[in-house]
Amino acid sequence: MLKGRNLLEPGDFSPAELEEIFILAEKIMDKPAKYAHVCDGMLLSTLFFEPSTRTRLSFEAAMLRLGGQVIGFSEAGSSSATKGESIADTIQTVSCYADIIAMRHPKEGAPKVGATVSGIPLINAGDGGHQHPTQTLTDLMTILHTKGKFDNLTVGLCGDLKFGRTVHSLLKALAVYENVKFILISPEELVIPTFIRKEILTKNNIEFEEVRNLEEVMHRLDILYMTRVQKERFFNEEDYVRLKDTYILNEDKMALAKDDMIVLHPLPRVNEIAPEVDKDPRAMYFKQARFGMYVRMALIMKLLGVDVNEETRRAV
Ligand code: NCD
């Protein structure tokens, strides 16, 4: 039962619960009109203490398309955080107004603190370089829709594996499926952090390799997950400038890949995928953004405990 729960990191939901969400998202995608009023009269609060385009707009579009409404802020500067209010107090206040919260914060663990005092379901929409579970729902939904499965896949994760929270969440989520193999492609300075290598990969005996060269592994991949070097998490500009263009996926590299490999990217992209790749049918990143909205619609419905049958009953 997902009603009333929080989503702070991918492990919070079992594979069966995730499946429930994906099934509902597919149904919504199929007949969106049927779901256009299931959240009439309900409010989502988007508390974004850190910039975002996709995630915030995707949450807002999701709630509006369910008939609900949205309140919130898109930068800490326009909230009472500037007056010194604690996260706990902000969340307790917002709990009095809204039915569900989506929160993004630059500090790792901030949504977890918020959830301890929230009277309503709280969704982590990204906390620092830690986790980003709704991007993972988006990624998983895209994989399921195109590959039809999560097991027996070789997944290449490329770019900033150190600070990329979407990578951390995706690794954690995929690690529970059978025979998933990871190829981790990054510069030495941006390898995955110990909390992922030890606590997720080594501890669960997951097969993984760490490599520096993308070309050499292209032909083995079923999925290539490209990421942006996370400029905002660097301590100095020089390091960022040196590392930012380490990997650039282009047509030549795509020519080395399997015909049914798919390219994912949480977006925004900077230089890591050349625009010429966009027209390749294996480039899924814009479709992925669309899946993200539907999967967030399904997530909101599940956490609020509304379903289409209830709505039909209410309407008659
Ligand atoms: C990601 C994020 O915020 O972590 N963006 C997103 O939510 N789609 C990836 C990124 O910013 O690089």
Side-chain angles (χ1 to χ4, degrees):
M1 180 81 162
L2 289 165
K3 184 178 176 181
R5 302 252 297 270
N6 303 309
L7 175 58
L8 301 174
E9 50 178 69
D12 289 351
F13 295 171
S14 67
E17 287 166 339
L18 289 175
E19 202 180 318
E20 262 185 58
I21 294 174
F22 301 135
I23 291 172
L24 179 56
E26 289 280 355
K27 283 189 190 163
I28 301 172
M29 229 159 64
D30 200 35
K31 288 203 174 67
K34 209 172 142 190
Y35 299 85
H37 295 286
V38 287
C39 286
D40 275 0
M42 292 184 161
L43 265 185
L44 162 73
S45 179
T46 49
L47 310 179
F48 276 63
F49 294 87
E50 194 187 65
S52 159
T53 308
R54 240 152 314 274
T55 306
R56 186 172 56 83
L57 294 186
S58 158
F59 265 113
E60 295 190 1
M63 191 51 158
L64 294 171
R65 281 177 181 268
L66 293 170
Q69 299 199 58
V70 182
I71 53 169
F73 52 82
S74 55
E75 49 180 276
S78 57
S79 80
S80 281
T82 54
K83 299 180 188 168
E85 185 174 51
S86 68
I87 291 164
D89 284 6
T90 306
I91 297 295
Q92 287 190 81
T93 309
V94 171
S95 295
C96 304
Y97 308 146
D99 300 289
I100 186 163
I101 293 172
M103 171 184 178
R104 170 171 286 193
H105 202 284
K107 278 209 187 101
E108 285 81 7
K112 196 168 183 176
V113 171
T116 59
V117 294
S118 179
I120 57 179
L122 188 146
I123 303 166
N124 176 5
D127 59 329
H130 187 221
Q131 299 281 350
H132 191 350
T134 63
Q135 180 61 47
T136 298
L137 292 184
T138 303
D139 305 339
L140 293 180
M141 167 99 187
T142 313
I143 294 171
L144 192 60
H145 193 88
T146 52
K147 294 270 170 207
K149 59 174 189 180
F150 295 126
D151 35 25
N152 301 310
L153 292 171
T154 299
V155 182
L157 297 144
C158 178
D160 187 347
L161 310 187
K162 179 179 181 189
F163 296 117
R165 56 193 172 196
T166 63
V167 167
H168 306 158
S169 286
L170 184 59
L171 270 166
K172 191 165 181 185
L174 281 174
V176 305
Y177 298 100
E178 286 296 309
N179 194 26
V180 177
K181 181 172 179 185
F182 296 105
I183 303 188
L184 307 173
I185 310 143
S186 77
E188 181 81 50
E189 292 95 326
L190 298 177
V191 296
I192 45 151
T194 313
F195 80 94
I196 301 287
R197 183 183 296 108
K198 287 226 171 95
E199 293 303 310
I200 311 241
L201 298 174
T202 315
K203 196 168 159 184
N204 298 302
N205 279 325
I206 313 284
E207 210 181 320
F208 73 100
E209 291 167 42
E210 296 189 87
V211 302
R212 304 278 164 261
N213 188 301
L214 174 60
E215 282 96 323
E216 279 171 13
V217 297
M218 275 308 270
H219 66 285
R220 295 166 56 200
L221 306 177
D222 298 308
I223 295 169
L224 172 59
Y225 195 87
M226 292 297 294
T227 61
R228 165 182 78 90
V229 174
Q230 306 279 301
K231 184 178 185 192
E232 64 277 34
R233 313 219 187 276
F234 275 71
F235 294 113
N236 78 67
E237 174 85 14
E238 244 168 66
D239 287 348
Y240 170 70
V241 171
R242 187 167 45 81
L243 294 169
K244 71 184 174 59
D245 294 329
T246 312
Y247 304 103
I248 300 181
L249 182 65
N250 57 15
E251 278 176 340
D252 290 350
K253 292 194 186 92
M254 287 298 284
L256 305 170
K258 293 182 190 170
D259 291 343
D260 64 349
M261 183 207 68
I262 54 168
V263 183
L264 305 182
H265 190 307
L267 302 176
R269 94 172 122 185
V270 185
N271 271 337
E272 58 281 356
I273 303 181
E276 65 191 28
V277 177
D278 296 2
K279 59 180 187 305
D280 190 308
R282 296 169 292 181
M284 291 297 297
Y285 28 93
F286 289 112
K287 286 196 186 126
Q288 190 183 348
R290 192 164 175 76
F291 286 127
M293 179 183 73
Y294 289 113
V295 87
R296 288 185 175 97
M297 289 170 82
L299 174 68
I300 291 170
M301 283 181 65
K302 289 286 178 189
L303 299 185
L304 288 175
V306 296
D307 83 35
V308 77
N309 301 327
E310 255 173 59
E311 169 55 26
T312 319
R313 272 204 307 278
R314 257 194 271 155
V316 287

